Amino acid sequence: GESVGLHLPTLSVQEGDNSIINCAYSNSASDYFIWYKQESGKGPQFIIDIRSNMDKRQGQRVTVLLNKTVKHLSLQIAATQPGDSAVYFCAESRRSARQLTFGSGTQLTVLP
Amino acid sequence: DGGITQSPKYLFRKEGQNVTLSCEQNLNHDAMYWYRQDPGQGLRLIYYSQIVNDFQKGDIAEGYSVSREKKESFPLTVTSAQKNPTAFYLCASKKGTGDEQYFGPGTRLTVT
């Protein structure tokens, strides 16, 4: 079936470095993509989203890139901080479905 | 303070008992969702509701039931028919015209 998947289950980066978290999706009809951050024992928090009519969107220290040709989504975190350590999920939806389909998540660990 | 509340944070039950998890939102959102999360996994959709007095099954609805009698509330009952009920349960809501889902803090259910 259709699914959203992540390339790497874990990622470790040095504090101050940039982080890149990748996500692949298989549904070419997906028109909305979103990244969530989940700290241990808590609910997911919105980070940034992007629609399929865009290739790039920037927030505070975060950038999401969308490559529709290869069905790939990435989240870039600039100057990674210890507070960025968490699990990051991508999710996608189609307007007709009105549901989000989540990937399995990437555990980001920031090393001192 | 606007947001989504879930109670209790931790819940313990004996096998064979039904248990109801609470989800309340004061964001005036039309749609509400219930997800299940197992360790190291993504979120899987149990049930969702677009409007009051209407709800649809998600991907893993077997062994669960819901009601939507009020816009603010979307309780989830985990019945004894659910074979593996121990999990972290997350409730979310969104505006009718929006795509971003806002999550509650979650309830960790342990059944022994």
Side-chain angles (χ1 to χ4, degrees):
Chain A
E2 292 154 350
S3 65
V4 178
L6 292 169
H7 292 305
L8 294 173
T10 62
L11 176 66
S12 296
V13 298
Q14 293 293 138
E15 182 178 352
D17 286 352
N18 297 336
S19 303
I20 299 176
I21 302 171
N22 295 305
C23 181
Y25 65 96
S26 57
N27 188 348
S28 57
S30 298
D31 60 4
Y32 176 76
F33 305 87
I34 187 168
W35 283 98
Y36 284 97
K37 171 186 180 183
Q38 187 178 27
E39 296 175 338
S40 182
K42 297 183 179 180
Q45 296 174 283
F46 169 84
I47 301 173
I48 192 167
D49 59 2
I50 189 169
R51 298 201 176 277
S52 58
N53 61 352
M54 301 173 69
D55 297 321
K56 178 180 179 179
R57 192 169 186 214
Q58 289 183 292
Q60 188 174 15
R61 281 202 307 121
V62 294
T63 300
V64 56
L65 298 177
L66 176 62
N67 185 330
K68 294 179 287 293
T69 302
V70 294
K71 299 191 187 68
H72 184 267
L73 189 69
S74 69
L75 176 70
Q76 300 178 2
I77 304 174
T80 312
Q81 301 169 0
D84 295 327
S85 291
V87 176
Y88 289 81
F89 292 98
C90 65
E92 57 90 14
S93 75
R94 289 158 285 143
R95 187 162 294 279
S96 60
R98 296 184 175 181
Q99 301 173 27
L100 288 175
T101 300
F102 285 83
S104 56
T106 293
Q107 173 71 58
L108 174 66
T109 301
V110 181
L111 306 172
Chain B
D1 250 355
I4 303 174
T5 57
Q6 292 185 244
S7 61
K9 187 172 178 61
Y10 299 97
L11 193 53
F12 298 89
R13 281 294 182 271
K14 294 291 187 184
E15 197 173 313
Q17 294 179 333
N18 292 353
V19 59
T20 297
L21 281 59
S22 167
C23 177
E24 305 278 331
Q25 54 97 3
N26 60 4
L27 300 166
N28 199 33
H29 285 174
D30 296 302
M32 297 186 75
Y33 303 79
W34 273 106
Y35 294 90
R36 170 186 173 131
Q37 187 176 32
D38 293 287
Q41 304 280 322
L43 281 64
R44 292 185 290 168
L45 183 64
I46 305 173
Y47 267 99
Y48 64 102
S49 168
Q50 300 288 347
I51 56 173
V52 173
N53 292 323
D54 187 50
F55 48 82
Q56 288 80 41
K57 293 181 179 180
D59 300 320
I60 56 166
E62 186 175 349
Y64 299 97
S65 66
V66 293
S67 62
R68 187 84 187 277
E69 296 177 2
K70 299 187 299 182
K71 188 175 185 177
E72 302 79 16
S73 179
F74 190 41
L76 173 75
T77 297
V78 184
T79 75
S80 57
Q82 169 50 234
K83 299 305 178 190
N84 296 294
T86 295
F88 189 48
Y89 290 88
L90 287 157
C91 179
S93 70
K94 80 174 181 69
K95 286 187 276 192
T97 55
D99 291 291
E100 178 190 344
Q101 291 183 20
Y102 297 79
F103 283 85
T107 292
R108 188 167 300 280
L109 173 65
T110 302
V111 177
T112 57

